[in-house]
Amino acid sequence: MDEDASIDDRTLRFAAGALADAGSAVAMTGAGVSTASGIPDFRGPDGVWARYDAEDFHISRFEADPAGFWADRLDLVDDLLGEGREPNAAHEALAALEREGVLEGVVTQNVDGLHQAAGSESVVELHGNGEHVVCVDCGARDALDAVRDGDLPPRCPACDGLYKPDVVLFGEQLPEYAWYRAHAMAQNAGAFLVAGSSLSVEPAASLPREAAARGTTLLLVNHERTALSGRAEYDFRADVTEALPALVDAVRDY
């Protein structure tokens, strides 16, 4: 669609039909879905990496200076996932599409857990979950709140191994199982809905690109043009909190 692409009723009805008739659809979300809940993005001019040094959150720093890493990490988490962050209308719309049997699930680049809080049951977290920690030795998981008030670096009560944030740090690969599951969902999808992502971050951006190459119907909802706007059948330049609920209503009326 062209540079002035936006949301209109006729195109919305066609997009809803494409989703409803896809047989199996998958959604992928980026930072634009979380920012509507007051969570800052990472790469924008006022984003997280404009206020923090990204190198402080590299896996090599965690390994060399876990106490210092954790002191900075807890500050970042308080900034990123502070109190009062709730699911917004976009999260709720995607959960509704799953309940309607339209979406197989959601693949997300976000680490805030808001899709689950909104009611989505099938969520693949490509970059992990910032509300949890994992032991690097035995693999035990715990809530982030469990490590806030103790000594740093936090250690696993079961084996005394170091706790690491259950997220993908710089220098780490995506979790193998999450990537495998996301890739399988994308391969089987008849429609691929991308919301709130510029599709500039790899390897996540390869999922809708490869789906489109196989002939999967591609639907985009983002304020700005994305790397795949020229290949999308439906390209809505719109607020995700407005476009996704409208899409749900159109699916129900289809």
Side-chain angles (χ1 to χ4, degrees):
M1 301 182 73
D2 62 30
E3 290 288 346
D4 295 322
S6 59
I7 191 165
D8 66 79
D9 289 343
R10 182 173 181 273
T11 306
L12 189 67
R13 288 195 299 272
F14 282 123
L19 274 180
D21 292 338
S24 175
V26 63
M28 187 175 85
T29 62
V33 172
S34 291
T35 55
S37 289
I39 295 174
D41 65 13
F42 283 88
R43 293 173 175 81
D46 298 316
V48 171
W49 302 138
R51 301 191 300 277
Y52 295 88
D53 185 348
E55 287 301 310
D56 287 342
F57 304 98
H58 196 282
I59 185 61
S60 61
R61 198 226 176 168
F62 170 79
E63 293 168 345
D65 177 22
F69 170 93
W70 265 108
D72 290 337
R73 174 68 189 179
L74 290 174
D75 285 344
L76 181 147
V77 169
D78 286 341
D79 190 6
L80 188 66
L81 303 175
E83 294 182 4
R85 308 294 167 86
E86 300 290 340
N88 59 59
H91 295 107
E92 293 164 357
L94 292 172
L97 287 174
E98 184 181 347
R99 289 193 300 271
E100 296 284 338
V102 173
L103 282 186
E104 178 185 353
V106 176
V107 177
T108 186
Q109 297 169 270
N110 302 326
V111 300
D112 48 51
L114 292 182
H115 284 297
Q116 294 92 325
S120 290
E121 296 184 0
S122 180
V123 181
V124 179
E125 295 174 309
L126 289 178
H127 296 159
N129 190 306
E131 297 284 2
H132 295 88
V133 295
V134 60
C135 176
V136 298
D137 289 340
C138 73
R141 282 175 164 76
D142 206 339
L144 178 68
D145 286 345
V147 310
R148 283 187 178 278
D149 298 325
D151 295 333
L152 297 181
R155 290 187 175 274
C156 173
C159 73
D160 202 42
L162 282 173
Y163 269 142
K164 171 188 167 295
D166 195 14
V167 299
V168 177
L169 301 179
F170 289 106
E172 291 191 299
Q173 300 294 317
L174 296 187
E176 185 174 343
Y177 176 72
W179 177 247
Y180 172 82
R181 187 177 168 209
H183 200 265
M185 289 169 63
Q187 281 190 318
N188 294 327
F192 200 117
L193 169 65
V194 181
S197 175
S198 64
L199 297 175
S200 59
V201 177
E202 297 290 353
S206 69
L207 293 173
R209 185 174 64 246
E210 291 173 4
R214 290 192 299 273
T216 300
T217 300
L218 184 60
L219 305 91
L220 308 178
V221 182
N222 197 54
H223 274 300
E224 307 294 335
R225 182 179 176 84
T226 77
L228 288 180
S229 287
R231 300 178 65 178
E233 284 83 357
Y234 302 97
D235 183 18
F236 298 109
R237 312 286 167 77
D239 189 318
V240 292
T241 64
E242 297 175 0
L244 293 182
L247 190 57
V248 173
D249 289 342
V251 166
R252 287 171 173 164
D253 290 341
Y254 178 70

